[in-house]
Amino acid sequence: MTTTSKNDTLFARAQKTTPGGVNSPVRAFRSVGGTPRFITRAEGPYFWDADGKRYIDYIGSWGPAIAGHAHPAVVKAVQDAAARGLSFGAPTEGEILMAEEISRLVPSIEQVRLVSSGTEATMSALRLARGATGRDRIIKFEGCYHGHADSLLVKAGSGLLTFGNPTSAGVPEDFVKHTLVLDYNSVEQLEDAFSSMGETIACVIVEPVAGNMNLIKAKPAFLQAMRRLCTLHGAILIFDEVMCGFRVGLGGAQGLFGIKPDLTALGKVIGGGLPVAAFGGSAALMGHMAPLGAVYQAGTLSGNPVAVAAGMATLKLIQAPGFYEALGAQTAKLARGLTAAAKEAGVVFCADSIGGMFGLYFSAQPPTSYAEMMASDRAKFNIFFHAMLDEGVYFAPAAFEAGFVSAQHDDAVIETTLAAARKVFAAMA
């Protein structure tokens, strides 16, 4: 007798009332095929699906669960805050505490505005850059995802220094006609762009550690050139650290690379699993924001007291002595172990990591650009993904997403993962 999976039942039900059955596209498993797992609970490094199966979780809510799922300190902070009221639509001291903490931990930020999502943070930072400079043109990089704001849903044009084309229906070409898309890690293209149109460029926005074309690290020379050219031409440099901020180090990627952006977008970790994001920079630049200046941004749930409480509890946990050293060591151990397991089986594969983020690539070397990532063997990734899922290991359900390790992924969890990988790679050989 065949038993119907509850995941299958829930997915069929969800598709009747929700487009594609999901509220964010990657969850639909369209890239890898099969039925998405509907999660019922999570604890530490694990979560459980509707059928009661336990998985080692390597997405961690796409980054926020850096201390592990349902950490007691975070849960208590949320419970205490909820008991005082869920939302006020008025200022709270918690908002001040979070702004002070972010400003203390990220030296490039003097003032910060809280919002509810990474898309809001990057969209608002972009508007601020345009408002402060009085310019329209922006530069972004192929493969970097900065949320679903119209101006940023854009792919490269037909040649160097041509403006981009919309990547989503419903985005008018007029909305992206000022967006120039360059190759990630290309200093030459940056220099050419500024040489030909530098005085018209409002800003450059970049993920200093890309996580949406899998994990790709920016080369130091790339970021240094970006900083130099923005300063020279009066453009605003925006670091989108929604994903990598407080994930790769306590001061974010900018702290690791020693580059000071003009504006920073943050999210994920600063909410501890609840909807908090932020953008910030110098007091002079942030002074252009309403009610002080002419750049408008608002949000009823911005600085929500329950979400801020979860974020503050998480920010305290990650400041424990040795937290990032241990997190980075475990993530590197996972990446090295996976690479070794594939090599032993004769499968072309490698993995890379930085801080608590990692990437899996079915290629001989870690990619440095979108084009290199696209050249990897995505069909083999799909086989690997489903085989590991069967073994109780949940990696991102797409070849283009970075993975995340939490403080609760101890040696036993990592070894269980590697044992499963050795089995899977041997079957793929």
Side-chain angles (χ1 to χ4, degrees):
M1 178 178 174
T2 302
T3 303
T4 302
S5 165
K6 289 183 179 179
N7 292 301
D8 291 325
T9 301
L10 288 171
F11 192 40
R13 178 180 162 194
Q15 291 177 77
K16 296 177 182 178
T17 52
T18 304
V22 293
N23 286 299
S24 192
V26 73
R27 301 176 192 174
F29 276 38
R30 290 292 181 93
S31 177
V32 294
T35 301
R37 303 307 190 260
F38 283 71
I39 306 306
T40 58
R41 67 185 181 96
E43 183 178 350
Y46 306 108
F47 59 32
W48 286 258
D49 72 8
D51 290 324
K53 182 172 180 175
R54 188 186 78 172
Y55 301 87
I56 298 174
D57 175 24
Y58 284 108
I59 61 169
S61 189
W62 302 102
I66 191 169
H69 289 293
H71 191 286
V74 179
V75 171
K76 184 178 188 307
V78 169
Q79 291 171 334
D80 291 347
R84 296 190 293 268
L86 300 180
S87 181
F88 310 126
T92 68
E93 184 182 9
E95 298 170 65
I96 302 172
L97 293 172
M98 174 160 279
E100 289 174 341
E101 195 74 353
I102 290 172
S103 298
R104 184 178 68 83
L105 294 172
V106 184
S108 69
I109 296 178
E110 294 177 345
Q111 291 190 349
V112 63
R113 178 65 63 86
L114 300 182
V115 293
S116 297
S117 71
T119 290
E120 284 185 77
T122 55
M123 176 183 70
S124 302
L126 198 68
R127 182 179 301 158
L128 174 54
R130 283 172 159 159
T133 61
R135 304 171 181 177
D136 294 331
R137 289 179 171 172
I138 67 172
I139 291 176
K140 74 176 292 288
F141 299 94
E142 187 83 358
C144 285
Y145 176 70
H146 305 292
H148 58 268
D150 286 341
S151 295
L152 296 170
L153 284 178
V154 54
K155 62 183 176 182
S158 59
L160 179 62
L161 302 189
T162 61
F163 289 92
N165 302 307
T167 57
S168 171
V171 178
E173 289 189 6
D174 279 356
F175 280 38
V176 299
K177 69 181 181 181
H178 298 300
T179 304
L180 183 63
V181 185
L182 306 181
D183 289 340
Y184 196 77
N185 274 323
S186 175
V187 173
E188 180 183 3
Q189 288 188 15
L190 261 177
E191 290 177 338
D192 287 348
F194 273 97
S195 175
S196 65
M197 58 186 76
E199 305 314 307
T200 68
I201 295 170
C203 66
V204 177
I205 185 168
V206 67
E207 288 182 279
V209 177
N212 290 282
M213 50 178 164
N214 216 312
L215 175 75
I216 297 183
K217 303 172 187 174
K219 295 178 180 178
F222 176 59
L223 297 179
Q224 290 162 5
M226 203 178 298
R227 176 67 278 174
R228 174 177 54 82
L229 291 165
C230 283
T231 301
L232 180 64
H233 293 275
I236 303 298
L237 176 57
I238 304 173
F239 270 16
D240 177 353
E241 296 219 44
V242 168
M243 186 172 284
C244 63
F246 299 114
R247 248 293 162 186
V248 300
L250 192 57
Q254 58 195 267
L256 289 182
F257 294 127
I259 303 289
K260 185 178 180 180
D262 299 300
L263 289 173
T264 301
L266 296 168
K268 300 190 185 293
V269 169
I270 68 168
L274 291 184
V276 178
F279 64 100
S282 69
L285 195 50
M286 295 299 289
H288 289 276
M289 298 298 301
L292 299 178
V295 179
Y296 193 76
Q297 174 273 331
T300 299
L301 294 177
S302 295
N304 174 269
V306 180
V308 165
M312 283 300 294
T314 302
L315 288 176
K316 291 177 182 177
L317 290 169
I318 64 177
Q319 293 179 63
F323 181 91
Y324 282 98
E325 290 79 2
L327 181 69
Q330 291 302 96
T331 311
K333 184 182 298 181
L334 174 69
R336 287 195 306 268
L338 290 171
T339 303
K343 184 177 181 180
E344 183 179 345
V347 175
V348 177
F349 170 93
C350 63
D352 197 9
S353 70
I354 179 170
M357 295 176 66
F358 66 89
L360 309 177
Y361 325 99
F362 280 86
S363 57
Q365 299 292 332
T368 62
S369 68
Y370 177 76
E372 290 181 12
M373 182 59 218
M374 288 296 289
S376 65
D377 193 331
R378 284 167 280 163
K380 280 191 176 178
F381 171 83
N382 291 353
I383 294 170
F384 175 78
F385 168 79
H386 279 289
M388 291 297 285
L389 202 62
D390 290 342
E391 295 293 324
V393 179
Y394 193 108
F395 288 121
F400 303 107
E401 302 289 346
F404 303 91
V405 169
S406 81
Q408 303 304 315
H409 285 73
D410 59 20
D411 287 346
V413 171
I414 299 295
E415 182 48 46
T416 298
T417 303
L418 296 180
R422 286 190 284 269
K423 177 181 177 182
V424 168
F425 281 131
M428 292 176 65

